[in-house]
Amino acid sequence: MAKIRKSYIVMLITAAVTVALVMVALGIVKKNKEGTQNGRGRGGTTFSVRTMTLKKTTLHDYISTNGEVEAQSSVEVFPDMAGRVASVEVQLGSSVRVGQVIAYIDPNEPGVRYVQNPVYAPINGSIVTTPLKVGTKVSTNSVITTIGDIKHLQVTANIPERFVSLLKPGLTAHVMLESYPDVVFAARVSHVSPVVDAMSRTKEIILTFDRNDARINAGMFAKVILYTVDYAGFVVMPVDSLVSKDDHYYAYVLRDDSTVQRREVTLGRTVDSVVQILDGLAEGESVVVEGQAALSDGAKVRDITNGGGQ
């Protein structure tokens, strides 16, 4: 009789524990359901994002290189006779014209006397190197000075061989000078070398400025942005706004009900981290550009672009 009573008590305890566990489980389910309905669960989460409206934009591909500003015309001046510099008629920076005397050479030697030999300017321009000093002994191979046409300047730059197929006269460029870091000088390719330098594996180009500017001096170091190809006709977006999976790329499109649609896209050319979208998106659509990493298809979002949704 005692054994029966003990078994009965154990059964009652087991039943009570089972009922308690069921009640706890039902409470958890109810709480989760209520949390989801109140927006606290995953299904009701609203993500803050920033968006941009797509529009067709031309991407300007370019080559970045260095160059040097120099005179379009520059000539070294040599004497016709050996001797010593008797006098110098110009100084650094002087303007000269063709046929103007810039120096006299005294060819006299012991026991022999000659008339002083004049040295003439072969071109119009300015004296761009300091002339030799009076008394300097010279030969016909000695450079008295250099004359340059500083009113008409150009930039010489070397382009790596891999870009040779893109080079042609007429390409536009922006030139920046260290002396004026916030100023952009417009230039254009006027000449392209017909050969590639075998040592440097580069091809030389010459750019001329669109207009003369007194701030530009021969000898200045130049940074050159040479625009090569334009890619037009498609919408663009930041490449880091896309998500990728298994070599496929996706963008999140904002819908009218403040949810997003994940859409597969086909990529085109990329310039400065901006990529063309060849297929999958249309002009005028809004796509997520910040906050996309946490999204999934159909997720609810709050667009905080320009302070919205605050």
Side-chain angles (χ1 to χ4, degrees):
M1 189 74 177
K3 288 183 178 180
I4 295 175
R5 184 178 298 174
K6 186 176 180 180
S7 298
Y8 181 72
I9 294 173
V10 170
M11 291 178 59
L12 288 176
I13 294 173
T14 302
V17 171
T18 302
V19 171
L21 291 175
V22 171
M23 294 298 293
V24 170
L26 290 174
I28 292 174
V29 171
K30 181 178 180 181
K31 183 177 180 180
N32 286 342
K33 184 176 180 180
E34 291 175 350
T36 300
Q37 291 174 346
N38 292 330
R40 291 192 297 270
R42 183 175 181 181
T45 301
T46 300
F47 299 91
S48 295
V49 299
R50 297 186 189 275
T51 64
M52 67 172 286
T53 301
L54 297 175
K55 62 180 180 179
K56 292 183 179 179
T57 303
T58 299
L59 297 182
H60 305 284
D61 208 354
Y62 64 89
I63 301 168
S64 179
T65 187
N66 299 323
E68 184 175 346
V69 180
E70 58 186 21
Q72 289 186 18
S73 299
S74 181
V75 176
E76 294 178 332
V77 182
F78 300 89
D80 292 331
M81 299 183 67
R84 294 184 183 275
V85 178
S87 66
V88 178
E89 308 300 316
V90 295
Q91 58 186 356
L92 183 66
S94 297
S95 296
V96 296
R97 300 189 64 80
V98 174
Q100 179 178 336
V101 175
I102 60 175
Y104 286 97
I105 304 300
D106 181 3
N108 291 320
E109 297 179 359
V112 181
R113 295 191 62 82
Y114 296 94
V115 176
Q116 290 186 351
N117 182 257
V119 180
Y120 300 102
I123 63 170
N124 296 331
S126 299
I127 304 298
V128 297
T129 61
T130 303
L132 296 179
K133 295 181 179 180
V134 173
T136 302
K137 189 173 182 178
V138 296
S139 69
T140 54
N141 293 322
S142 301
V143 178
I144 300 298
T145 188
T146 302
I147 300 174
D149 181 7
I150 62 174
K151 292 183 178 180
H152 299 90
L153 300 175
Q154 64 186 27
V155 175
T156 301
N158 294 309
I159 306 300
E161 183 177 1
R162 64 182 180 275
F163 299 120
V164 162
S165 63
L166 304 175
L167 301 180
K168 60 183 179 181
L171 293 178
T172 60
H174 285 163
V175 177
M176 285 72 71
L177 307 174
E178 288 190 345
S179 301
Y180 307 98
D182 298 324
V183 180
V184 174
F185 300 92
R188 192 174 300 270
V189 176
S190 57
H191 298 86
V192 177
S193 172
V195 298
V196 172
D197 184 89
M199 295 296 294
S200 64
R201 312 311 307 177
T202 61
K203 178 171 280 197
E204 184 179 84
I205 63 170
I206 295 176
L207 305 104
T208 54
F209 293 98
D210 287 0
R211 63 184 183 86
N212 295 331
D213 194 309
R215 293 174 293 183
I216 305 173
N217 296 160
M220 283 183 166
F221 175 80
K223 294 181 180 179
V224 178
I225 301 297
L226 177 65
Y227 295 99
T228 53
V229 182
D230 288 344
Y231 304 115
F234 296 95
V235 297
V236 303
M237 64 182 294
V239 69
D240 58 4
S241 298
L242 298 168
V243 294
S244 62
K245 183 178 180 180
D246 300 329
D247 295 327
H248 294 273
Y249 291 89
Y250 302 88
Y252 284 99
V253 181
L254 181 64
R255 295 189 286 204
D256 292 339
D257 61 356
S258 295
T259 63
V260 292
Q261 178 188 28
R262 192 179 79 161
R263 195 164 319 156
E264 185 173 357
V265 297
T266 303
L267 306 186
R269 299 286 185 169
T270 301
V271 177
D272 284 343
S273 298
V274 176
V275 64
Q276 288 181 310
I277 306 299
L278 305 183
D279 189 42
L281 298 174
E283 188 172 22
E285 290 187 304
S286 293
V287 294
V288 176
V289 293
E290 288 185 27
Q292 70 278 5
L295 300 180
S296 59
D297 190 35
K300 190 171 184 61
V301 298
R302 180 174 67 255
D303 188 3
I304 61 172
T305 307
N306 300 322
Q310 298 292 332

